[in-house]
Amino acid sequence: MRVRRKSTSGVSTMATDYDIIVVGGGIAGSALAANMAQEGARTLVLEREERFRDRIRGEYVFPWGMAEAQSLGIVGALEAAGAHSVPSFEIVGMGPPRDLSQTTMQGVPSYGFYHPAAQEALVEHAETAGAEVNRGARVTSVLPGDEPAVRLRNGGDEATLRARLVVGADGRSSLCRKALGKEETHIHDGRLLAGVLLDNVKLEDEHMALVGLIPGTGAMTLVFPQGGGRARSYIADRGTSEDRLQGPGAFDRFVQIAASCGISPNIFENAEIAGPLGTFAADDSWVDHPYADGVALIGDAAGISDPTWGQGLSVGWRDVRVLRDQLCNSDDWDAAGHAYADVHDEYFGRIITAESWQQQMFLDSGPEADERRARALPLLAEDPTRGPDILFSGPDLPVNEEVRRRFFGEDQLEPA
Ligand SMILES: Cc1cc2nc3c(=O)[nH]c(=O)nc-3n(C[C@H](O)[C@H](O)[C@H](O)COP(=O)(O)OP(=O)(O)OC[C@H]3O[C@@H](n4cnc5c(N)ncnc54)[C@H](O)[C@@H]3O)c2cc1C
């Protein structure tokens, strides 16, 4: 595939400064920039950070996300930045560990990596592929239109640049999302996610992700190894802002909650805190149809799915692949943007639904949730294929009423 340009009608591409301006050099923006530059597009990445830092996020990629990464040609760059394969997945006390390379649709393991190193590697990869990268450049406004533009500031310099397409890959507080002026959907149910990076974690198997949870308590602990004794650990819990675990002083409480979820405190015995300890709202938020007037949104800018379920990186790379393919298959980039947005809504919607099922099954409390679990969990233990595998194998699996009823064991209920 090569990028096609309109020569006779429509947008005059040569009047623009670039084919694509990507706002944000995160994992989604850099992957898109690398791919589009490889296809011959004049590509600019604007990234406000001179140096990436630990933002407590985005380091465990499920198998379907790694398959997306493969299709984008970025696995080599991630491995060179220390990405570590994590083929096993164990929910403590709920049966033997699962071998993801054998049991997912893609037949590949999960991976863990240090997010700032991966971001750095992908920006470099984009540059090597031919994209121009402007670090320290903060986009201050986005102007949708036939020839969309961005205004930016870098140090004392200001500029306005035009492109055939502006791609908003500027993360959770996306300016590009706001510029589109679309209505946002926000789901906030008061759950929190606290995370910290640790060294000297004593894991029996550094290639196994651990999950500890006591269904119905609302609390869950996740341990994602990155190799060499390093792991990222998270605690998902219900809570108010006073319950936020914040700063190194909160680590003892972190270990206590982990233990209450069934994670042995021994693994944290000699652990050293290797980054900030902070807490985030475990919310979903998105806009429908993340394209309008020459501006496409990808990654978190398009849709944030509750980070408890670790789908953000995978969805971001799916966005990149779908948008790339639409842009490379058409010289009408407005139509390509709309086609991307249509497809995005379908798979993003399936992810949100699949996450809500997991939450209802494992985290929700109350009599209705207890009754659901009493019916469904024994059936699931007997026949794991009752569990929809969307979070591991991706949103191409069916997500419908029949799948939901089977997961919740409602297909075994006597007709009323
Ligand atoms: C606590 C937590 C844990 C998570 N854990 C996981 C996990 O285990 N697995 C998983 O798959 N996902 C996880 N996620 C989600 C994942 O981190 C995100 O989905 C992913 O990082 C989104 O990538 P992105 O490229 O869209 O945005 P980002 O990674 O946020 O990148 C956006 C980039 O844009 C830049 N930028 C922003 N505004 C501007 C501007 N105005 N001008 C120029 N540059 C700008 C930023 O500096 C940044 O580099 C987690 C999220 C959280 C909050």
Side-chain angles (χ1 to χ4, degrees):
M1 282 185 295
R2 294 296 285 175
V3 164
R4 295 190 236 159
R5 297 200 169 87
K6 277 185 178 171
S7 51
T8 51
S9 63
V11 175
S12 156
T13 60
M14 297 322 288
T16 57
D17 300 293
Y18 294 92
D19 290 318
I20 299 186
I21 295 175
V22 182
V23 183
I27 58 100
S30 294
L32 181 76
N35 273 255
M36 292 310 297
Q38 274 158 0
E39 299 300 336
R42 296 168 299 149
T43 306
L44 172 68
V45 179
L46 297 169
E47 169 54 52
R48 68 182 173 196
E49 303 289 344
E50 301 270 13
R51 221 180 106 252
F52 296 118
R53 63 201 155 78
D54 182 353
R55 295 177 294 157
I56 318 178
R57 71 188 51 176
E59 295 180 334
Y60 177 79
V61 193
F62 281 90
W64 78 273
M66 285 314 297
E68 296 292 349
Q70 269 168 4
S71 77
L72 299 174
I74 57 173
V75 175
L78 293 172
E79 283 179 338
H84 168 82
S85 82
V86 189
S88 299
F89 189 94
E90 180 175 18
I91 305 181
V92 177
M94 288 199 196
R98 178 173 174 189
D99 180 347
L100 301 177
S101 306
Q102 298 298 321
T103 60
T104 51
M105 220 163 80
Q106 293 77 13
V108 296
S110 286
Y111 269 69
F113 51 67
Y114 181 50
H115 191 99
Q119 251 193 295
E120 207 63 64
L122 292 183
V123 166
E124 250 180 69
H125 177 65
E127 233 170 346
T128 307
E132 199 180 312
V133 178
N134 187 345
R135 298 286 290 266
R138 177 182 290 272
V139 171
T140 53
S141 57
V142 176
L143 311 167
D146 282 349
E147 283 188 4
V150 298
R151 290 206 185 101
L152 66 113
R153 192 178 309 128
N154 193 341
D157 297 334
E158 294 196 12
T160 300
L161 296 172
R162 294 190 175 283
R164 267 177 98 182
L165 179 74
V166 169
V167 176
D170 48 346
R172 292 171 75 80
S173 322
S174 171
L175 180 81
C176 297
R177 188 195 280 193
K178 290 180 191 92
L180 285 193
K182 286 177 177 262
E183 197 180 327
E184 294 187 31
T185 304
H186 196 103
I187 301 179
H188 170 73
D189 67 0
R191 284 187 315 101
L192 301 173
L193 185 67
V196 63
L197 184 70
L198 299 167
D199 280 331
N200 282 333
V201 180
K202 242 190 319 176
L203 292 169
E204 262 174 45
D205 181 353
E206 284 222 298
H207 296 277
M208 176 146 67
L210 291 177
V211 178
L213 70 99
I214 312 291
T217 62
M220 175 163 76
T221 301
L222 308 153
V223 183
F224 296 132
Q226 297 185 3
R230 175 166 274 203
R232 173 73 69 182
S233 186
Y234 292 109
I235 284 178
D237 209 348
R238 264 193 215 90
T240 62
S241 47
E242 291 88 64
D243 301 323
R244 282 174 178 257
L245 301 175
Q246 215 72 38
F251 187 57
D252 287 349
R253 177 90 187 107
F254 190 101
V255 175
Q256 267 171 19
I257 300 175
S260 75
C261 294
I263 298 287
S264 164
N266 295 343
I267 72 165
F268 298 123
E269 206 172 50
N270 301 319
E272 290 160 24
I273 297 176
L277 193 166
T279 297
F280 299 80
D283 293 357
D284 311 276
S285 115
W286 69 90
V287 290
D288 288 336
H289 200 78
Y291 172 81
D293 298 329
V295 179
L297 306 177
I298 61 171
D300 280 7
I304 299 167
S305 62
D306 174 351
T308 310
W309 306 106
Q311 296 293 297
L313 298 167
S314 306
V315 170
W317 287 331
R318 165 68 63 102
D319 294 352
V320 172
R321 176 169 66 79
V322 173
L323 181 59
R324 175 200 69 185
D325 290 352
Q326 295 293 347
L327 295 174
C328 289
N329 283 326
S330 170
D331 60 4
D332 180 347
W333 277 14
D334 186 53
H338 284 296
Y340 153 72
D342 284 343
V343 180
H344 175 278
D345 283 356
E346 285 171 27
Y347 57 75
F348 187 75
R350 288 196 288 267
I351 291 288
I352 294 287
T353 302
E355 288 181 350
S356 76
W357 291 347
Q358 298 296 327
Q359 180 175 322
Q360 287 169 53
M361 182 69 107
F362 293 110
L363 299 184
D364 280 0
S365 51
E368 197 187 322
D370 288 342
E371 191 186 310
R372 181 186 305 124
R373 275 188 286 273
R375 180 178 63 241
L377 287 179
L379 291 167
L380 196 60
E382 210 173 278
D383 177 5
T385 70
R386 284 183 164 273
D389 205 38
I390 292 111
L391 303 188
F392 291 88
S393 291
D396 298 329
L397 288 173
V399 176
N400 55 38
E401 183 56 10
E402 189 187 338
V403 174
R404 190 197 67 77
R405 282 176 58 78
R406 200 159 170 265
F407 185 37
F408 291 152
E410 290 174 13
D411 58 333
Q412 302 296 304
L413 292 172
E414 296 291 332

